[in-house]
Amino acid sequence: MVVADQRKFDRKCHDRPRLLVPAPELAYGISIIAMAAALTAAPVSIETLATSQAEAQQAPSVSSPFDQIAADDPDARMLLEADELIYDLDNDIVAASGTVDIYYRGYTIEAERVDYNQKTGQVFARGGVKVVQPDGNVIYAETVELTDQFREGFVQELTLVTTDETRFAAQSAERFDDNVTVFNAGVYTACKPCEEDPEKPPFWQIKAKRIIHNQEEKTVYYEDATFELFGMPIAYLPFLSHPDPTVKQQSGFLRPTFVYDKDLGYGVEIPYYFALAPDYDLTVSATTYSLQGPLGEFQWRQRLASGSYMIRGAGIYQLNPQEFEPTSDNNREERGAIQTEGLFEINEFWKWGWTGTLQSDDIFLRTYDLTSATEVRDTLFLSGQSARNWFDGKILHYQVLKESGDNQNSLQAFLHPIVDYNYIFDDPVMGGRLSYDSNFMSRTRDDAEFLPLFPFARANDPEFGCPYKSLNDIDSFIDRSPGSLERIFSRVSPDTCELIGAPGTTTRFINEVKWDRTLTDGIGQQFTPFAGLRGDLYAIDVEDTYVEAGYATTPIIDQFIPEGNNNVVRGMATAGLEYRYPILVSDSWGYQILEPMAQIIARPDATGNDEVTNDDALSLVFDDTNLFQVDKFSGYDLLEGGTRANVGLRYNLKTNTGLGIAGVFGQSYQLAGENPFPVGSGLETDRSDYVGALYFTPLPSVQIANRMRLDEDDFALQRYDLELNGRYGIASSSIIYSNIAADPQQGIDEDRQEIQGRARLRLNENWSVWGAGRYEISGVSRSTIDNPQSPQWISNSFGFGYHNECISLSVDYRRTYARDEDTIPDERITFRFSLRTLVEGQYRHDVNPGDDDE
């Protein structure tokens, strides 16, 4: 070779030789390498032959970027730098050697040597070719050869590593017809190579004799593909294809799902996806069960300019309904359901939408594992929110779904409009903040619902107390115990039962105005006067369904609330003052804050609490979280009245090392007026029980919370809760312990203690074990138990698993015990697996020790 002009430069500073090349030559010269990235955009799945729009959008977008760049800007230039540039003027060849770097619009190409023949248009790069794309993907190749105006080429020993650590390799790659790229002996995996032995097969990989990417068809084809696990081929796929990453959606089969249930049998679901348009699609599937026959399903999705909606349905003609329990709603041949939901934005503040379900029976969706919810809600809603105000209005219908075979009907209610509105005035009023709250609700209920006042006493005497189970399921009770109605109704009275849902229609309209202002004096004391005015309107139409149905001859519901039409008007005026004096003590090690607090709240006695049903104020646990709340009831239906004072002390310590201690201790006093709180709440006397809490954070990853309620007279423990959450090294755990003192007035003759916890131990980088449990140490269960056993398990679980960057496997055992009538026993073993970017699934086996069919 005659070297007409040879220039050598020392590789230091900025004196490396540079060469500008037109963009089309760079683009076509690199496109064959970049084309390899297309394979990771939609990883090959053993089960997947098509991809939905949502699935496709999750894939990395790494397909042939240089072709588009060249087409968009044919006059663009690239920069080439090398330790040595050699110009062969006789043969019209430019060679770059040493360390060759090529830069163009965020792309970097490295190689040991690049030769460019300007006569033939041939480019030959060799020696550790590396391409770094703007999205972070890295492509490696040993040699690259391109010819025919850079539209055809050949690559040897190609490897691609994407930003999500997936890998593709091929012995060679060819590009021809400016459209088709063929990868020979290709391999795809999401597993990292073994550091000690890079030649060792990964946990899983897909091998193919040839992988063909057709840009015109936008499809990637695999020929003679095999799936290998731990180096062993376990599945052979002679032909497989999937859309390339430029495709947002494409019709085809989706991966199948295998299922099993003892009442349904074995089944396999095969879905098919229809890519009808960019803004709407349809998925249909058929699941053939060995015992009950084929279940058909469909899902329609459409996105509009302001939102989207979905409609899905399922139906089956059961071949063997007798496989279910005789009294179950599953015992019918034709079953199905239709569900829909939508969400649309009106503007930046307002949105509206709906959810709806229409089903043949209450338990169809749960039987065929189409939902795990315990209730179905149909909702039409409108909501709006700004920085200071919000509005939420809805129409709601719900059914509380019962488990299959529990011999109970659903409790149904239809709620007409429910509207909540909050408005905070922009301008201060008397120097303070003025706000307005409103609630409107109208509810129609088909059946009554009761709770026992002495739930624990029935464990010792099943004939004592409220027979709430039978009352809430009167039809089923008659089937089980004909002729026993008189005995049941004789035990129903306000002394034993609480009516929490009256049959009929209840409408309420509540309006409340609040004002408060905080003043701080010269030594840091804070005084917050506050006031409120509330007015309630109730319209109640109560029906005694037991009398109307002929179950009872004397009124039942009338013992709790007057039957017929009743209007209730009530109001409440509130005025009060809150005092705080935070005292800060700081030092080089940290700081402490000691804060005495006091409230005095003046109100008239509450009226009308016994004239309305209590639907939303059922929960009351007196502790440090609500000690200083002006209204301690959780909902609207119960009013708090009388004059009350809340007094306490707060403490907070924080060190520079991260240690923290916080505490609260206080008491509430009924100074005047009628006390509205129930027996056993800790607030029913003029002096409440003491409540306190101590929060301790020895390390940033360890938190300990202690909450207690102490008797007002002798500081005897009435309730204690301990919660521990922590993570240290390879271990993490959470423990909750509760101790509730005996209360003979509530029929509770002994202390109740319960502990629950969970823990996980990481054995090494990949293996871990875990366990959880809930255990009743002492006490009795909440419902009727003829022979209560104490202590007893409530639930437990344990499992183990393996996880690395490309595979996850786990086995989990869970059991729930039938400790009372309210709990349905459940025992199951679940196996889960996941091959990252490829497939995931689970298999669940229900364990019933007493079932001979299992």
Side-chain angles (χ1 to χ4, degrees):
M1 179 181 69
V2 177
V3 180
D5 186 9
Q6 180 174 328
R7 308 171 187 174
K8 294 186 178 180
F9 297 85
D10 186 7
R11 188 182 180 186
K12 296 179 182 179
C13 300
H14 301 287
D15 56 356
R16 299 179 63 200
R18 300 182 178 185
L19 178 67
L20 292 177
V21 180
E25 298 179 353
L26 170 71
Y28 289 112
I30 299 172
S31 61
I32 186 172
I33 305 175
M35 190 64 68
L39 294 174
T40 60
V44 186
S45 170
I46 297 175
E47 300 168 341
T48 305
L49 299 181
T51 179
S52 67
Q53 180 178 6
E55 292 170 332
Q57 290 175 341
Q58 296 175 354
S61 180
V62 290
S63 62
S64 301
F66 286 104
D67 291 331
Q68 185 62 41
I69 291 173
D72 292 343
D73 189 1
D75 296 326
R77 304 263 179 171
M78 67 89 176
L79 175 66
L80 183 149
E81 294 184 345
D83 290 341
E84 183 178 63
L85 288 180
I86 301 175
Y87 297 83
D88 187 344
L89 300 180
D90 294 336
N91 298 309
D92 208 7
I93 294 175
V94 179
S97 63
T99 301
V100 183
D101 297 316
I102 301 175
Y103 305 95
Y104 183 73
R105 291 189 177 180
Y107 294 87
T108 302
I109 300 100
E110 300 177 6
E112 295 179 3
R113 182 180 178 90
V114 176
D115 294 319
Y116 173 47
N117 190 317
Q118 299 183 78
K119 291 181 179 179
T120 64
Q122 183 182 42
V123 171
F124 186 79
R126 61 187 175 186
V129 181
K130 177 182 177 181
V131 179
V132 181
Q133 298 181 332
D135 56 14
N137 292 332
V138 182
I139 303 170
Y140 300 92
E142 185 59 32
T143 62
V144 176
E145 180 181 355
L146 300 127
T147 59
D148 189 17
Q149 300 301 315
F150 306 98
R151 285 171 167 76
E152 296 184 0
F154 181 80
V155 180
Q156 285 186 330
E157 301 297 333
L158 181 144
T159 301
L160 168 68
V161 181
T162 67
T163 54
D164 63 349
E165 292 296 325
T166 57
R167 288 166 167 78
F168 169 82
Q171 289 184 358
S172 62
E174 301 173 78
R175 177 177 171 86
F176 54 90
D177 294 339
D178 194 23
N179 175 55
V180 178
T181 304
V182 178
F183 301 90
N184 300 306
V187 178
Y188 170 77
T189 183
C191 305
K192 294 181 179 179
C194 178
E195 295 182 359
E196 293 79 9
D197 184 8
E199 299 300 323
K200 182 180 179 180
F203 284 92
W204 64 264
Q205 62 184 357
I206 295 179
K207 289 185 175 180
K209 183 177 180 180
R210 293 206 315 166
I211 303 174
I212 303 170
H213 178 231
N214 190 308
Q215 284 185 276
E216 183 177 352
E217 298 179 3
K218 297 182 178 181
T219 304
V220 180
Y221 300 93
Y222 299 80
E223 296 180 355
D224 291 334
T226 58
F227 175 76
E228 294 186 359
L229 192 62
F230 301 104
M232 300 292 294
I234 63 172
Y236 173 66
L237 300 169
F239 182 81
L240 184 67
S241 66
H242 67 78
D244 75 9
T246 64
V247 178
K248 299 302 181 182
Q249 55 183 159
Q250 182 170 319
S251 301
F253 287 100
L254 304 178
R255 66 171 180 261
T257 302
F258 298 91
V259 293
Y260 168 74
D261 184 274
K262 67 183 183 65
D263 296 320
L264 307 178
Y266 292 93
V268 56
E269 178 186 8
I270 302 177
Y272 190 89
Y273 175 75
F274 293 92
L276 303 177
D279 56 333
Y280 58 86
D281 56 30
L282 173 67
T283 303
V284 297
S285 65
T287 307
T288 303
Y289 289 96
S290 58
L291 294 180
Q292 301 299 339
L295 172 74
E297 299 176 68
F298 75 90
Q299 177 176 273
W300 168 274
R301 301 183 304 176
Q302 184 170 13
R303 178 172 292 279
L304 304 176
S306 60
S308 61
Y309 72 95
M310 177 274 299
I311 302 174
R312 62 170 170 257
I316 188 173
Y317 183 88
Q318 295 188 145
L319 301 179
N320 298 290
Q322 67 276 7
E323 293 290 334
F324 300 98
E325 295 292 334
T327 57
S328 171
D329 284 341
N330 288 314
N331 284 303
R332 60 178 69 190
E333 293 179 339
E334 298 177 355
R335 306 179 69 189
I338 293 179
Q339 295 180 291
T340 179
E341 61 184 44
L343 179 62
F344 294 87
E345 293 184 355
I346 300 174
N347 53 39
E348 60 178 324
F349 302 111
W350 291 90
K351 61 183 178 181
W352 72 281
W354 72 85
T355 61
T357 299
L358 179 64
Q359 55 183 341
S360 60
D361 55 86
D362 295 335
I363 55 178
F364 167 72
L365 294 174
R366 292 176 63 86
T367 300
Y368 284 90
D369 201 24
L370 302 177
T371 183
S372 59
T374 57
E375 67 178 24
V376 173
R377 297 193 177 196
D378 304 324
T379 308
L380 177 64
F381 67 89
L382 171 68
S383 63
Q385 184 171 0
S386 65
R388 299 171 62 88
N389 313 304
W390 63 273
F391 172 93
D392 183 58
K394 63 172 69 74
I395 298 176
L396 174 66
H397 172 268
Y398 68 90
Q399 298 181 15
V400 180
L401 303 183
K402 300 298 182 180
E403 289 283 353
S404 164
D406 65 355
N407 299 324
Q408 296 190 44
N409 296 321
S410 296
L411 295 173
Q412 301 186 31
F414 183 79
L415 281 78
H416 303 285
I418 303 176
V419 180
D420 289 289
Y421 178 63
N422 169 263
Y423 182 82
I424 300 176
F425 291 84
D426 294 331
D427 298 325
V429 177
M430 294 186 294
R433 181 181 62 177
L434 183 66
S435 63
Y436 167 73
D437 291 279
S438 178
N439 171 264
F440 176 83
M441 183 199 74
S442 182
R443 185 210 65 237
T444 298
R445 194 182 192 99
D446 296 334
D447 304 301
E449 186 174 4
F450 292 88
L451 279 180
L453 291 177
F454 308 100
F456 299 94
R458 295 194 64 200
N460 298 320
D461 183 5
E463 296 299 319
F464 174 81
C466 179
Y468 72 105
K469 279 287 192 180
S470 301
L471 289 172
N472 295 343
D473 185 25
I474 191 68
D475 293 329
S476 182
F477 171 78
I478 293 174
D479 294 337
R480 299 192 307 268
S481 305
S484 301
L485 287 176
E486 183 177 352
R487 176 173 58 84
I488 289 293
F489 287 125
S490 66
R491 292 156 49 197
V492 180
S493 74
D495 296 329
T496 58
C497 298
E498 179 183 7
L499 179 67
I500 64 171
T505 300
T506 299
T507 302
R508 75 182 182 202
F509 184 38
I510 296 172
N511 295 272
E512 185 172 15
V513 178
K514 297 179 181 178
W515 175 88
D516 65 85
R517 180 184 181 184
T518 299
L519 305 171
T520 304
D521 67 8
I523 62 174
Q525 299 180 101
Q526 295 181 346
F527 300 87
T528 304
F530 57 88
L533 187 63
R534 170 176 162 175
D536 300 355
L537 297 175
Y538 279 80
I540 305 173
D541 182 10
V542 178
E543 303 173 358
D544 197 325
T545 55
Y546 303 108
V547 174
E548 292 180 0
Y551 298 144
T553 57
T554 58
I556 301 300
I557 304 299
D558 194 64
Q559 299 178 74
F560 301 87
I561 187 171
E563 187 180 355
N565 294 316
N566 300 280
N567 297 320
V568 178
V569 179
R570 65 183 187 181
M572 180 60 65
T574 303
L577 177 68
E578 180 178 280
Y579 169 80
R580 298 169 180 255
Y581 188 18
I583 302 171
L584 174 64
V585 179
S586 61
D587 206 330
S588 58
W589 52 264
Y591 67 86
Q592 302 177 75
I593 299 177
L594 186 67
E595 185 179 25
M597 295 183 59
Q599 283 179 337
I600 185 167
I601 308 163
R603 286 177 288 217
D605 289 344
T607 60
N609 281 348
D610 57 349
E611 299 180 52
V612 302
T613 57
N614 178 17
D615 288 310
D616 63 1
L618 298 172
S619 175
L620 175 61
V621 177
F622 180 45
D623 59 17
D624 64 297
T625 61
N626 55 15
L627 172 62
F628 291 102
Q629 286 186 358
V630 176
D631 296 303
K632 293 180 172 58
F633 288 119
S634 58
Y636 289 106
D637 287 331
L638 294 183
L639 286 175
E640 182 178 347
T643 300
R644 178 169 291 273
N646 304 311
V647 180
L649 182 68
R650 286 182 175 175
Y651 175 76
N652 198 338
L653 177 146
K654 191 74 172 180
T655 70
N656 298 331
T657 61
L659 183 144
I661 300 176
V664 181
F665 189 81
Q667 191 176 31
S668 184
Y669 301 88
Q670 185 76 22
L671 302 179
E674 182 180 353
N675 191 328
F677 294 103
V679 175
S681 65
L683 289 161
E684 69 272 16
T685 56
D686 290 343
R687 286 193 309 121
S688 76
D689 289 341
Y690 297 97
V691 292
L694 179 63
Y695 303 92
F696 180 46
T697 307
L699 298 170
S701 59
V702 178
Q703 299 87 35
I704 303 173
N706 298 267
R707 297 185 182 92
M708 65 189 73
R709 179 161 63 89
L710 307 176
D711 185 79
E712 56 173 308
D713 293 325
D714 57 7
F715 287 92
L717 186 66
Q718 299 298 305
R719 180 174 183 133
Y720 175 71
D721 296 287
L722 168 66
E723 184 173 354
L724 168 64
N725 291 282
R727 180 185 297 274
Y728 186 80
I730 61 174
S732 62
S733 66
S734 174
I735 299 174
I736 300 176
Y737 168 79
S738 297
N739 187 333
I740 304 176
D743 187 353
Q745 295 185 10
Q746 292 290 309
I748 307 171
D749 296 327
E750 58 181 278
D751 294 347
R752 289 162 290 159
Q753 298 182 69
E754 180 180 302
I755 187 171
Q756 56 181 306
R758 57 180 176 82
R760 176 182 288 269
L761 181 64
R762 189 172 180 179
L763 302 178
N764 55 33
E765 183 180 359
N766 305 115
W767 286 97
S768 60
V769 296
W770 58 84
R774 185 179 175 191
Y775 189 74
E776 188 177 58
I777 301 172
S778 64
V780 294
S781 300
R782 180 177 175 85
S783 188
T784 303
I785 301 180
D786 295 334
N787 297 303
Q789 297 180 358
S790 181
Q792 60 177 320
W793 280 102
I794 301 172
S795 63
N796 54 42
S797 65
F798 61 86
F800 62 91
Y802 179 91
H803 173 79
N804 63 19
E805 77 282 352
C806 67
I807 187 171
S808 293
L809 304 170
S810 68
V811 177
D812 188 69
Y813 168 84
R814 296 179 181 271
R815 182 174 183 181
T816 302
Y817 294 80
R819 58 191 293 258
D820 55 45
E821 290 182 352
D822 292 325
T823 307
I824 298 174
D826 183 35
E827 187 176 10
R828 64 184 61 179
I829 298 174
T830 304
F831 170 69
R832 296 180 177 88
F833 66 93
S834 173
L835 305 181
R836 187 170 70 89
T837 75
L838 195 65
V839 67
E840 63 181 22
Q842 70 175 30
Y843 174 79
R844 189 187 75 187
H845 178 67
D846 294 326
V847 181
N848 295 310
D851 193 341
D852 296 336
D853 296 334
E854 290 280 328

